[in-house]
Structures are given as C-alpha cells and as structure tokens.
Amino acid sequence: NAGVMQNPRHLVRRRGQEARLRCSPMKGHSHVYWYRQLPEEGLKFMVYLQKENIIDESGMPKERFSAEFPKEGPSILRIQQVVRGDSAAYFCASSPPDRGVAEAFFGQGTRLTVV
Amino acid sequence: AQSVAQPEDQVNVAEGNPLTVKCTYSVSGNPYLFWYVQYPNRGLQFLLKYITGDNLVKGSYGFEAEFNKSQTSFHLKKPSALVSDSALYFCAVRDTSGGYNKLIFGAGTRLAVHP
C-alpha cells in the first residue's frame, strides 16, 4: 500500500506562470487536506476536500489559488500567476472516510520555487 | 478555535541526555493531540497521538508524550537523545470548528542533538 504520493517533488516556475501540484491519496482514502509551509514557518491549513467536493477552504487565499479532487485521479492544487511569495513547500495529507484527521498521513511535499 | 503553542523555537540537547519538546494547547471539548517530525527536505512523519486513555502515550522511535489536562500540555519526551533525532518537531491539534476536521499545527521546534 503506497503512501500519499505528491508530484512533482520540486517545481520551479517564473513569476506569472501557473503551478499545478498533484496529490494521490493512499488507497481507500477519500479525504484530502492541503497545507502550506513557508520558509522557517509551521504548516498552515489551506483546504479540505472529499471526492468531488470542497469541504473547507477557509485557509485558501481568495485569489489565484484553487483546488479540486475529482472522482477519478489525483487532487490538484492550482496556483495561477505565481508570485515570489508563493515559494513554499506544499504538503498533502489523506485520511479514510471514517477516521478523519486522526488517521491522516502526509506526503513528501512539493517544493515550489518562483523565480 | 483550537490552537497549540510551541514556546521554544529551538531545543539543544547533548546526545544521551533526556529531551523534552514543549507543547500547550487550547481547545474546547476533548482534545485530539498529535506530534509529527520533519527531517530536512522531507515530509511529515507521524510520531504519536493522544485521543483518550492513558496520559502517557508511546510512539515511534522511542518517543513518548504526556498529556496533562490541568496544565493543558502535551510535551514530547525521550529518555536518551540521538544525533539522528535532530529535526523539526510539530505539535498539532484536531480542529472541529465549522463541523469539519482538520489539523492545526504549532510553529514547530527545531531539535538539535549534539554529539
């Protein structure tokens, strides 16, 4: 049973480009959480999704950021028109439907660098 | 809203000595508390959790944590530190505000174990 898979592990984008970060949850997990870790800071909650639904996006910036978790395929965190301040590590976690965050497992993260 | 605080940015310990990484929490209701470790350029690894039961929780790699309700603390401990324990440690609490589960993380404590 593979863990939570995130790709790419490292992503470099120029200012103004789009960044797409992918997260494949563990088998049997239908809940996905995205977190952002700015340099030298802790993890900040961004969004919580279930299949085809955004449940809680209270931590998502209002502009340029979006997330989805389609019926088939990985969850995608999309950042449009990236700026230098978006440079961070983005972590995804998944959990089974009946256990919530008490059984959440994290991926290795995607490190986004905006140049 | 639920929150956790890690009062120390960094903890320095000599190899072989006991270590403590502090965490205090603020929750309404029964707390679900977690410790995660992050090694350089890696994702988060789960160490242990407290949901209910014994106040002393044993986890991975010889770590344990003590839940203290009167002091609202959940300090991470290890009897004998190893150089390989050097990493960033995060305390987290389950937040159920809004009716949805998510993890709220502390700012992190960097543990440095010296030979």
Side-chain angles (χ1 to χ4, degrees), chain A residues 9-113:
Chain A
R9 292 289 307 278
H10 300 275
L11 181 62
V12 179
R13 284 287 178 266
R14 296 186 184 278
R15 280 178 294 170
Q17 290 185 318
E18 179 180 285
R20 280 184 178 239
L21 288 63
R22 287 177 290 277
C23 170
S24 296
M26 288 180 68
K27 187 176 180 181
H29 288 194
S30 58
H31 296 197
V32 165
Y33 310 81
W34 285 94
Y35 286 80
R36 176 166 64 174
Q37 184 180 28
L38 293 169
E40 304 302 319
E41 293 190 17
L43 283 86
K44 302 296 184 186
F45 168 78
M46 298 182 75
V47 62
Y48 163 37
L49 309 105
Q50 296 176 15
K51 285 282 187 180
E52 299 185 279
N53 285 303
I54 297 174
I55 305 302
D56 181 354
E57 55 181 350
S58 58
M60 285 277 273
K62 293 290 185 278
E63 298 178 349
R64 301 188 298 108
F65 284 72
S66 62
E68 63 177 10
F69 189 16
K71 186 177 181 180
E72 301 291 338
S75 175
I76 306 289
L77 179 67
R78 182 182 178 204
I79 311 172
Q80 296 178 290
Q81 300 173 349
V82 296
V83 301
R84 288 231 170 100
D86 297 333
S87 296
Y90 292 83
F91 291 97
C92 165
S94 73
S95 67
D98 55 340
R99 297 295 186 95
V101 295
E103 296 286 342
F105 292 87
F106 281 80
Q108 300 271 33
T110 294
R111 279 160 180 80
L112 172 65
T113 302

Side-chain angles (χ1 to χ4, degrees), chain B residues 71-109:
Chain B
Q71 297 185 5
T72 62
S73 68
F74 189 56
H75 300 333
L76 182 69
K77 300 181 179 184
K78 188 173 183 180
S80 178
L82 300 173
V83 173
S84 57
D85 292 329
S86 298
L88 190 55
Y89 289 80
F90 291 100
C91 181
V93 65
R94 184 188 71 163
D95 181 11
T96 57
S97 59
Y100 309 117
N101 288 343
K102 57 183 177 282
L103 289 174
I104 303 298
F105 286 85
T109 298

